[in-house]
């Protein structure tokens, strides 16, 4: 069983899409092992997206991620990292395949409704950034 880290981003929470996104997660065989609703501080968002700090979209992205509540998730499944990225679809909703979360719900390349870890190393880092082991069940 592999673990990955997911976020339901502010654009999706604002449009009342938490339930629809969780339904896709559960019906695709993921176990929700950890879950919390919170609003990120600038400091948390900047630390979380540290790898992107040189990218031109960094300031806009971190501001967006703090703009409203988010849902933080620890997901478990075999090959969870790849499976969750497949279910989300491409970063840019214009490139995302039919039936993916970003195709169906994302507003733009930035307001793209969900986050998913991109490697085992980053998944472990991202889970531990927001969750302690006792919060993962
Ligand atoms: P995430 O890490 O959120 O799962 P991703 O791995 O598909 O998304 P990254 O390249 O890691 O994409 O970019 C992180 C986030 O930064 C994207 O999800 C999106 O919200 C934002 N982003 C990426 N590229 C752009 C861009 N060209 N313009 C604006 N925002 C962008
Ligand atoms: Mg990424």
């Amino acid at each position: 069983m592999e673990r990955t880290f997911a976020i339901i981003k502010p654009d999706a929470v604002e449009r009342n899409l938490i339930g629809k996104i969780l339904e896709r997660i559960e019906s695709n065989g993921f176990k929700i092992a950890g879950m919390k609703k919170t609003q990120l501080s600038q400091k948390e968002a900047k630390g979380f997206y540290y790898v992107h700090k040189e990218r031109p979209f960094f300031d806009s992205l971190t501001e967006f991620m703090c703009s409203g509540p988010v849902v933080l998730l620890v997901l478990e499944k075999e090959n969870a990292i790849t499976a969750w990225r497949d279910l989300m679809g491409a970063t840019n909703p214009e490139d995302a395949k039919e039936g993916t979360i970003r195709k169906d719900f994302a507003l733009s390349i930035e307001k793209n409704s969900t986050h998913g870890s991109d490697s085992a190393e980053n998944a472990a880092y991202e889970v531990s950034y927001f969750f302690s082991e006792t919060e993962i069940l």
Side-chain angles (χ1 to χ4, degrees), residues 26-94:
E26 290 197 314
S27 65
N28 280 276
F30 292 88
K31 182 180 155 205
I32 298 171
M35 175 159 70
K36 53 178 96 165
K37 189 180 184 193
T38 185
Q39 185 156 354
L40 302 184
S41 66
Q42 278 286 342
K43 197 178 161 193
E44 281 176 314
K46 288 193 162 117
F48 180 73
Y49 280 119
Y50 186 75
V51 291
H52 293 312
K53 69 179 187 313
E54 304 300 338
R55 308 277 282 274
F57 57 80
F58 180 75
D59 285 345
S60 174
L61 172 63
T62 52
E63 250 175 61
F64 160 59
M65 289 300 289
C66 298
S67 66
V70 294
V71 177
L72 310 174
L73 298 162
V74 181
L75 304 180
E76 288 178 354
K77 185 184 168 151
E78 256 178 59
N79 299 313
I81 295 167
T82 305
W84 172 234
R85 289 186 70 86
D86 288 347
L87 188 59
M88 288 198 298
T91 310
N92 186 344
E94 288 176 19

Side-chain angles (χ1 to χ4, degrees), residues 73-137:
L73 298 162
V74 181
L75 304 180
E76 288 178 354
K77 185 184 168 151
E78 256 178 59
N79 299 313
I81 295 167
T82 305
W84 172 234
R85 289 186 70 86
D86 288 347
L87 188 59
M88 288 198 298
T91 310
N92 186 344
E94 288 176 19
D95 302 328
K97 287 190 192 135
E98 292 297 328
T100 61
I101 289 171
R102 283 166 167 170
K103 175 75 180 183
D104 291 343
F105 299 133
L107 298 175
S108 66
I109 192 168
E110 179 178 83
K111 295 180 172 57
N112 59 3
S113 302
T114 53
H115 163 83
S117 309
D118 60 7
S119 67
E121 191 189 357
N122 287 340
Y125 172 75
E126 293 175 1
V127 167
S128 69
Y129 192 84
F130 289 113
F131 288 85
S132 61
E133 275 302 317
T134 55
E135 295 174 313
I136 303 170
L137 304 160

